[in-house]
């Protein structure tokens, strides 16, 4: 367990690799945050451009972490992280986010359909509480399922590079059943990423009104997120061994 938080330092080139990852993560997060920030003022018209730029930049670090997962899956002790391959990392990151989009659309459409059915039934029965409880259940349950399967689905993407990796729940279920320590890694992964997300959210909320403040907050968030990303890579690689 402790190795997940320290393995990367066994790579004597880690500082350079982390610095490269951090630069792209910072730029991607900064432009994305800027696109969502009231600090733009009269430049709000350019918000969509900043958002798109941020997403495109994030293809590179996303693709690189997938490469790390692949490398770590086959290593036991002397961990060496892969070098950056910008072209390959960018394309892999693009595929990764398209795969995430496919999953989101399927679950989103499914939730919308079931919510509409519940709303109609509740309207006929004049049962407002039924509608609230039913729709809340329909919204929360898929999120919990996806959260639990995240590690296995990420590993499937890293192994197969498939556009439809994130809807392969049958394969993911088989992997989880055969993984002795999946739950242990899951209960490390979830709190770690929730905490990282909360820190980033708080920093953004406190600094979103000025571009300077936003840059500093994003800098701190990106430093934390960059380290967490390498921990996530190890957890994903080892969770289904």
């Amino acid at each position: 367990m402790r190795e997940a938080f320290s393995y990367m330092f066994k790579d004597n080139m880690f500082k350079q690799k982390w610095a490269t990852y951090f630069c792209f993560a910072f730029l991607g997060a900064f432009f994305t945050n800027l696109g969502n920030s009231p600090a733009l003022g009269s430049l709000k018209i350019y918000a969509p451009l900043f958002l798109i730029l941020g997403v495109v930049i994030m293809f590179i670090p996303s693709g690189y972490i997938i490469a790390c997962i692949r490398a770590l899956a086959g290593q036991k002790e002397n961990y060496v992280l892969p070098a950056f391959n910008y072209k390959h990392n960018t394309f892999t990151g693009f595929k990764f986010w398209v795969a995430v989009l496919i999953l989101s659309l399927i679950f989103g459409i499914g939730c919308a359909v079931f919510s509409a059915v519940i709303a109609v039934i509740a309207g006929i029965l004049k049962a407002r509480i039924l509608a609230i409880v039913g729709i809340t259940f329909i919204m929360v349950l898929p999120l919990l399922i996806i959260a639990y399967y995240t590690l296995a689905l990420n590993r499937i993407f890293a192994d197969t590079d498939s556009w439809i990796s994130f809807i392969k729940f049958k394969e993911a279920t088989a992997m989880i059943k055969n993984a002795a320590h999946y739950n242990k890694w899951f209960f490390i992964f979830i709190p770690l990423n929730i905490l990282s997300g909360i820190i980033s959210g708080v920093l953004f909320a406190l600094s979103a009104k000025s571009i300077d403040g936003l840059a500093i907050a994003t800098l701190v968030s990106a430093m934390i997120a960059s380290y967490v990303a390498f921990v996530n890579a190890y957890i994903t690689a080892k969770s289904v061994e």
Side-chain angles (χ1 to χ4, degrees):
M1 184 185 301
R2 292 180 180 178
E3 199 166 44
F5 297 89
S6 61
Y7 79 93
M8 64 285 289
F9 302 114
K10 295 180 180 180
D11 184 340
N12 58 14
M13 294 293 291
F14 175 65
K15 289 183 180 179
Q16 293 88 330
K17 295 170 184 176
W18 178 87
T20 303
Y21 181 93
F22 165 76
C23 288
F24 286 110
F26 167 72
L27 289 173
F30 177 71
F31 284 117
T32 301
N33 289 340
L34 187 61
N36 289 305
S37 172
L40 281 177
S42 61
L43 297 177
K44 195 68 177 177
I45 189 175
Y46 297 108
L49 178 61
F50 289 130
L51 289 171
I52 293 172
L53 183 58
V55 170
V56 171
I57 291 174
M58 284 304 297
F59 289 161
I60 298 175
S62 298
Y64 178 71
I65 288 299
I66 296 300
C68 289
I69 295 171
R70 290 172 183 159
L72 293 170
Q75 300 176 21
K76 300 297 182 182
E77 294 181 359
N78 298 318
Y79 298 105
V80 177
L81 295 167
F84 270 83
N85 181 324
Y86 300 109
K87 181 179 179 180
H88 186 267
N89 294 154
T90 301
F91 184 60
T92 300
F94 170 71
K95 291 183 70 174
F96 174 83
W97 287 109
V98 170
V100 170
L101 179 62
I102 291 172
L103 171 67
S104 301
L105 288 174
I106 291 174
F107 270 80
I109 292 172
C111 288
V113 171
F114 282 111
S115 295
V117 171
I118 291 175
V120 170
I121 294 174
I124 294 173
L125 299 176
K126 296 182 179 180
R128 184 179 179 184
I129 295 179
L130 174 62
I132 295 173
V133 173
I135 292 175
T136 300
F137 179 79
I138 291 298
M139 295 299 179
V140 172
L141 182 61
L143 292 177
L144 295 177
I145 293 174
I146 293 172
Y148 183 70
Y149 276 83
T150 294
L151 291 174
L153 294 173
N154 281 336
R155 178 60 185 272
I156 289 174
F157 181 86
D159 290 344
T160 65
D161 207 31
S162 171
W163 298 91
I164 57 172
S165 295
F166 293 123
I167 59 175
K168 294 185 177 182
F169 284 91
K170 182 177 180 180
E171 292 89 332
T173 300
M175 292 174 72
I176 293 171
K177 286 182 177 179
N178 294 324
H181 304 294
Y182 187 85
N183 288 337
K184 180 192 76 172
W185 288 120
F186 171 75
F187 285 113
I188 296 173
F189 174 81
I190 289 297
L192 176 66
N193 285 273
I194 289 177
L195 179 60
S196 177
I198 290 174
I199 292 173
S200 296
V202 170
L203 289 173
F204 177 75
L206 294 174
S207 63
K209 294 183 179 180
S210 73
I211 294 179
D212 291 343
L214 187 65
I216 294 172
T218 304
L219 183 71
V220 175
S221 296
M223 290 181 68
I224 296 171
S226 295
Y227 171 69
V228 171
F230 287 100
V231 177
N232 285 341
Y234 183 94
I235 292 175
T236 303
K238 304 303 179 182
S239 62
V240 293
E241 281 190 313

